[in-house]
Amino acid sequence: MVAVSLLLAGLANTLAFAPYTLWWLPLLTLAWFSAAIANSANPRQAAGYGFSYGVGWFGLGISWVHVSIDQFGGLPLAGSLSLMALLVAYLALFPAYTAWLSRRLLGTLALPLLLMACWTLSEWLRSVLLTGFPWLSLGYSQTDSLFRHYAPLLGEIGISAVLVFIAASLANLLQRLSWPGRCWPAVVSVLLCLLSPMLVQFKGWHHNNEQLSVLLVQGNVQQELRWVPEQEWPTMLKYLDLTRPHLSQHQLVIWPEAAVPRIEPLADDFLENLDKSAFYSDTAVITGIIDYNLKTQEAWNNLIVLGKQTADANSGHYFHGHANRFSKHHLLPIGEFVPFESFLRQLAPIFDLPMSSFNRGSYVQPNLTANGFHLLPAICFEIAFPAQIRANLTSETQLLLTVSNDAWFGDSIGPHQHLQIARMRALEFGLPLLRATNNGITATIDADGQIRQRAPQFTEAVLSDQLSLTDANTLYLRLGNLPVFGFSTLLLLLAAYRRARPSR
């Protein structure tokens, strides 16, 4: 019964994230998770409890992945469900490991400290193993709660740690401990809640006098038509027609991931004309496109800048291979690269999707420069990796930019969660963020993580906004995850030492 109740608790976590945003739910589900670990008979049983919690958490929370597998993977229903089951089972191993390690070290530290440290270690592993999949980390559920004020200081992982500590403190109150052992974590938890609104004065950024007029274009091209050769020109002309009436009215225009469906070497005429049009309209256009080396047959998922590179430029600067571009580094498994490619591509259509064999861009790349503005880009999934964003920040970075094509996921909760992740990046780094997508959710986001303008999903749309830029130097920008990871590591070392120390 405990395992079943934890499965239901994990399922409930989905309601904490966008589009539902019941931000308080993780405090309850984590409290039950903590109590189950504390009362488990042994580490193996605790791991089973953690696995049940994880199956519920990810089984419903990333159900949107099944949309892409089912609709575009070319697999029978049994095959797509089996792949989803494997993915969910893999992700459930991380809360299982958290539970196992916490139970094994139980008694060496107060439960809230121990569980917080083990949870942080497990979530770090989830973000790096097999290229990483940090989706649905519980801190993202707090973009509209009072705990969001911790983001500029400790980042999303710090918010997750605070949630776990508070939830474990609730569970601690129910344990058979002496009153002092139950009291201090509860007092600290109350202080963490009361302190949060006061942290706004330490956010580390402020608006400056610079303004940016920006246009984001959402073409709403059906996924099944994106790579059909006959649709290349209709798609490019659609984006051009949506943009042209507004081109001269904005300093910057953003098209989404792979908005230009023709590979770059074969799109020279279109790109050079767009480059000139943007320059003569006194603006710059950033668009997604696939670059392809015809000799080596290597491909990159790129963003390129057309039109004015600097505010005082006297001509457009585009040519194929120019340096003002960004190549996606964090590739999506199966969708953008296929492990064991020679074997898997023969196995099923899902392993042989169009445009699913890209080269990886460098981890650190120059910011894009467009009409004198410096933008730090992330393509699609990359926005979920704050360490990569932080590694690419420079003293000149003025905006965060993420582009995506969420048409893979239909009318599901996936795009809403994706937008919520982007909002957290703005909160952490104190910079406004632009998000351009093929079919939604396109949005502009202020440095406080609040959505300024938002285009409706599944429509052709242009979104215009006048953004106030910021001077940002948040603590998280300076130190990243070091404070949280460092504190958790010290706690785990102390716990391991106490467990290994001979009893007297």
Side-chain angles (χ1 to χ4, degrees):
M1 287 301 294
V2 174
V4 173
S5 66
L6 284 167
L7 176 70
L8 295 175
L11 288 169
N13 275 345
T14 300
L15 299 177
F17 296 91
Y20 311 108
T21 62
L22 302 181
W23 60 266
W24 45 269
L25 263 177
L27 293 172
L28 302 182
T29 67
L30 285 169
W32 180 230
F33 177 76
S34 307
I37 293 171
N39 291 291
S40 58
N42 51 57
R44 183 175 179 178
Q45 186 182 61
Y49 289 162
F51 188 80
S52 295
Y53 184 78
V55 167
W57 178 10
F58 298 110
L60 183 57
I62 64 165
S63 57
W64 48 268
V65 175
H66 182 257
V67 177
S68 59
I69 297 176
D70 182 52
Q71 293 185 11
F72 306 107
L75 292 177
L77 182 61
S80 62
L81 290 176
S82 296
L83 275 180
M84 275 300 299
L86 283 173
L87 176 59
V88 170
Y90 165 72
L91 294 173
L93 292 175
F94 294 96
Y97 176 68
T98 298
W100 177 86
L101 185 61
S102 299
R103 180 60 181 82
R104 185 168 177 80
L105 297 175
L106 194 66
T108 59
L109 295 173
L111 178 64
L113 288 175
L114 179 61
L115 188 62
M116 179 186 69
C118 293
W119 185 278
T120 301
L121 170 64
S122 178
E123 287 294 85
W124 173 76
L125 289 172
R126 184 160 73 93
S127 72
V128 297
L129 290 180
L130 301 179
T131 76
F133 192 82
W135 209 274
L136 284 193
S137 184
L138 291 178
Y140 288 119
S141 66
Q142 305 302 303
T143 50
D144 292 304
S145 82
L146 58 90
F147 296 114
R148 71 184 183 276
H149 299 298
Y150 282 98
L153 302 174
L154 302 176
E156 181 278 327
I157 191 65
I159 296 175
S160 292
V162 169
L163 290 176
V164 172
F165 182 90
I166 294 174
S169 297
L170 291 174
N172 212 35
L173 289 173
L174 304 176
Q175 304 305 306
R176 296 176 181 176
L177 303 172
S178 63
W179 176 247
R182 289 183 292 170
C183 181
W184 75 262
V187 171
V188 172
S189 295
V190 171
L191 290 176
L192 287 171
C193 294
L194 294 176
L195 179 64
S196 184
M198 305 177 192
L199 296 177
V200 68
Q201 59 188 313
F202 304 109
K203 62 185 181 181
W205 62 267
H206 62 272
H207 286 113
N208 57 32
N209 295 323
E210 280 198 87
Q211 299 282 316
L212 169 65
S213 59
V214 64
L215 183 79
L216 279 62
V217 185
Q218 179 175 292
N220 194 36
V221 179
Q222 295 180 38
Q223 182 59 35
E224 56 268 26
L225 299 178
R226 285 185 59 77
W227 305 115
V228 176
E230 294 78 13
Q231 292 297 316
E232 288 179 353
W233 269 108
T235 297
M236 291 189 288
L237 292 176
K238 172 185 279 194
Y239 273 98
L240 196 57
D241 290 342
L242 287 169
T243 303
R244 190 181 289 113
H246 313 278
L247 195 59
S248 62
Q249 303 164 23
H250 297 86
Q251 295 166 287
L252 187 58
V253 177
I254 311 293
W255 290 3
E257 180 183 14
V260 179
R262 177 169 288 185
I263 61 173
E264 190 175 347
L266 302 183
D268 269 350
D269 290 345
F270 177 82
L271 295 173
E272 288 172 5
N273 285 331
L274 182 56
D275 181 57
K276 292 176 183 176
S277 296
F279 171 74
Y280 288 121
S281 299
D282 199 32
T283 189
V285 175
I286 299 177
T287 182
I289 193 170
I290 305 303
D291 191 13
Y292 188 79
N293 188 310
L294 297 171
K295 292 182 179 179
T296 63
Q297 297 185 338
E298 295 175 307
W300 295 264
N301 189 354
N302 275 359
L303 283 171
I304 60 173
V305 181
L306 306 162
K308 299 184 69 173
Q309 179 172 4
T310 61
D312 58 356
N314 54 18
S315 68
H317 73 300
Y318 173 78
F319 59 90
H320 180 225
H322 80 322
N324 199 4
R325 64 179 58 228
F326 171 81
S327 299
K328 187 176 183 182
H329 169 79
H330 215 110
L331 303 178
L332 188 65
I334 309 303
E336 292 178 315
F337 82 96
V338 180
F340 311 110
E341 185 172 2
S342 59
F343 167 69
L344 289 179
R345 285 198 184 276
Q346 311 302 318
L347 194 61
I350 191 173
F351 300 117
D352 198 25
L353 294 170
M355 300 297 176
S356 59
S357 185
F358 288 109
N359 286 66
R360 194 182 303 275
S362 300
Y363 186 70
V364 176
Q365 301 177 51
N367 286 186
L368 297 177
T369 306
N371 209 359
F373 296 96
H374 297 264
L375 299 95
L376 193 164
I379 298 177
C380 190
F381 186 49
E382 290 183 310
I383 198 64
F385 295 88
Q388 180 180 333
I389 303 298
R390 180 172 173 266
N392 284 274
L393 275 165
T394 73
S395 59
E396 295 183 311
T397 303
Q398 296 166 288
L399 297 123
L400 304 179
L401 167 65
T402 181
V403 298
S404 185
N405 173 33
D406 289 347
W408 288 102
F409 310 115
D411 189 11
S412 69
I413 58 178
H416 299 272
Q417 295 173 356
H418 205 173
L419 175 61
Q420 192 171 40
I421 290 171
R423 292 178 61 194
M424 183 58 72
R425 295 291 88 84
L427 270 166
E428 289 171 337
F429 296 108
L431 292 168
L433 183 144
L434 308 174
R435 184 171 193 264
T437 69
N438 169 45
N439 70 336
I441 305 170
T442 296
T444 56
I445 300 168
D446 211 344
D448 61 1
Q450 298 303 303
I451 296 173
R452 291 176 50 85
Q453 302 285 343
R454 173 175 173 157
Q457 277 187 286
F458 314 115
T459 60
E460 294 179 9
V462 290
L463 188 155
S464 176
D465 199 2
Q466 185 83 13
L467 281 171
S468 295
L469 303 186
T470 62
D471 291 328
N473 192 25
T474 68
L475 182 67
Y476 187 76
L477 186 155
R478 297 197 302 273
L479 300 179
N481 294 323
L482 180 62
V484 177
F485 286 163
F487 184 54
S488 298
T489 300
L490 288 175
L491 289 175
L492 289 174
L493 289 174
L494 178 60
Y497 169 75
R498 287 183 172 180
R499 189 178 189 280
R501 186 177 57 184
S503 57
R504 297 179 180 177

